[in-house]
Amino acid sequence: MTQTFSGDEIDWSAPTPPPDRKPPRKRLGGRIGSVEVLAVLLVLLVIFRNPLGGLISAPILQTWTTVFVSVMVQAVPFLVFGVLLSAVIAVFVPRSFWAKALPRHPALAVPVASVAGVVLPGCECGSVPIAGSLIRRGVTPAAALAFLLAAPAINPIVLTATAVAFPNDPEMVVARAVASLIVAMMMGWLWLRLGKADWIKLPHRPDLEGVSKMQAFWAATRHDIVHAGGFLVIGAAAAATINVVVPEAWLQTLAQQPVLAVLALAVLAVLLSICSEADAFVAASLSQFSLTSRLVFLVVGPMVDLKLISMQIGVFGRRFATRFAPATFVAAVLVASGVGMVLL
């Protein structure tokens, strides 16, 4: 017997009940977060506390730790200052201000931005996020990069520290300011000539639209602290490693050769990564070297060093840093050597 169904007997519009399925089982532990990582690290420290204690007591590791901490202690206050100022520029300063403050022609904006570094007390750690914020606010990259190079070397704190470190050589202060300004303007104009916009890749910042100014300020501050601070740690660790690897006896030998002395202190400035507020005292302690070679040390250091290159990679991108840092190094060595031969 065949059974038929009419359309009235079945409600085709009713939703088909889903098949019975058991809810998926969560994986053990779920997503691993910072708390779990910290717990694992603490457990490992407890398990391996004896061998780790022996390593920490080694003289080389103590030297490494001392250098690493000193670089961080010198740099962090100025990094925080630069990040705060960068957030102020990003949130509270309107774009129209920069159009009025700087000349419209990029070639004229470069020297104005370079001289503006005189009024900003800080070091290279703070100038990197500030330069990135200036570019975000519409400032031509050439002017922002000129400011980045000039501000750490010609601000009042650095020049005062240089005068205190070289009480018998006041011309060192003038030579440092002149050479640093020349290099900053040269690199700004060189960027206008050869630089490409796609070389700079600024990291994505949190969306600051649609929130209050204070919320936007703290969001920008947290973002830049985390981003630039991480690369600062990498640079400081590299500088500490170099300090314990390079034998001090090599410096004594190089100081006897004028050309090699200049190149040696230029490379040493890159490797040591000393904050510009303190590098004059280190240069003064290298009394076996000539004043010209020590001037090269003071000009190169605030413009090209390991922690600065790391931060430039973090703020502007790898393509930018791999081109800008070597060119700046060559310009700084040549200009500082020339200024040193004339003024010193």
Side-chain angles (χ1 to χ4, degrees):
M1 182 177 178
T2 304
Q3 193 174 12
T4 60
F5 298 91
S6 65
D8 296 332
E9 297 175 349
I10 301 176
D11 186 4
W12 297 102
S13 63
T16 304
D20 294 336
R21 292 182 181 178
K22 296 181 179 180
R25 297 178 63 183
K26 294 183 179 180
R27 292 184 178 181
L28 181 62
R31 183 179 179 181
I32 298 177
S34 57
V35 176
E36 289 79 5
V37 173
L38 178 60
V40 172
L41 290 176
L42 291 176
V43 172
L44 292 176
L45 287 175
V46 172
I47 295 174
F48 298 103
R49 61 184 182 277
N50 290 331
L52 287 176
L55 289 175
I56 294 175
S57 61
I60 292 179
L61 189 57
Q62 288 182 347
T63 302
W64 188 96
T65 304
T66 301
V67 174
F68 175 80
V69 172
S70 65
V71 171
M72 293 296 296
V73 168
Q74 291 174 12
V76 166
F78 297 100
L79 172 64
V80 173
F81 174 80
V83 166
L84 292 175
L85 185 57
S86 172
V88 170
I89 292 173
V91 176
F92 297 102
V93 180
R95 292 179 180 270
S96 59
F97 171 82
W98 302 110
K100 299 175 183 178
L102 294 174
R104 292 186 177 181
H105 198 289
L108 297 178
V110 167
V112 174
S114 300
V115 176
V118 175
V119 300
L120 181 65
C123 75
E124 61 271 20
C125 304
S127 65
V128 173
I130 293 174
S133 186
L134 290 175
I135 295 176
R136 282 192 177 91
R137 304 305 288 174
V139 174
T140 176
L145 296 177
F147 171 85
L148 181 151
L149 297 178
I154 67 171
N155 69 72
I157 294 179
V158 170
L159 296 182
T160 301
T162 306
V164 173
F166 292 90
N168 299 323
D169 302 293
E171 63 274 12
M172 182 67 83
V173 179
V174 178
R176 180 175 194 176
V178 171
S180 300
L181 272 176
I182 293 175
V183 175
M185 290 187 290
M186 281 180 55
M187 292 306 300
W189 287 325
L190 183 64
W191 180 267
L192 283 177
R193 181 75 176 176
L194 303 176
K196 297 181 180 180
D198 60 353
W199 288 352
I200 295 180
K201 187 178 181 181
L202 296 173
H204 175 70
R205 252 183 174 172
D207 189 6
L208 304 182
E209 302 295 335
V211 297
S212 68
K213 288 188 177 295
M214 287 307 300
Q215 288 177 325
F217 172 80
W218 289 117
T221 300
R222 287 193 301 269
H223 175 271
D224 285 353
I225 282 286
V226 172
H227 204 85
F231 285 92
L232 172 60
V233 171
I234 295 174
T241 302
I242 294 298
N243 270 270
V244 300
V245 170
V246 177
E248 186 177 352
W250 291 7
L251 300 180
Q252 297 288 344
T253 304
L254 293 172
Q256 301 174 3
Q257 305 292 331
V259 176
L260 292 180
V262 168
L263 294 177
L265 286 196
V267 174
L268 189 65
V270 176
L271 300 180
L272 291 182
S273 301
I274 304 172
C275 205
S276 58
E277 273 75 11
D279 61 358
F281 299 97
V282 176
S285 68
L286 300 172
S287 56
Q288 66 269 40
F289 289 89
S290 65
L291 286 177
T292 298
S293 59
R294 284 186 278 177
L295 175 64
V296 172
F297 178 88
L298 295 178
V299 174
V300 171
M303 297 184 177
V304 189
D305 63 32
L306 291 180
K307 71 177 186 300
L308 185 57
I309 294 173
S310 298
M311 293 178 64
Q312 287 180 358
I313 292 174
V315 174
F316 300 108
R318 190 177 302 276
R319 296 184 66 188
F320 168 84
T322 55
R323 292 167 172 82
F324 190 74
T328 304
F329 177 83
V330 173
V333 171
L334 294 178
V335 171
S337 300
V339 171
M341 288 188 291
V342 173
L343 298 180
L344 304 177

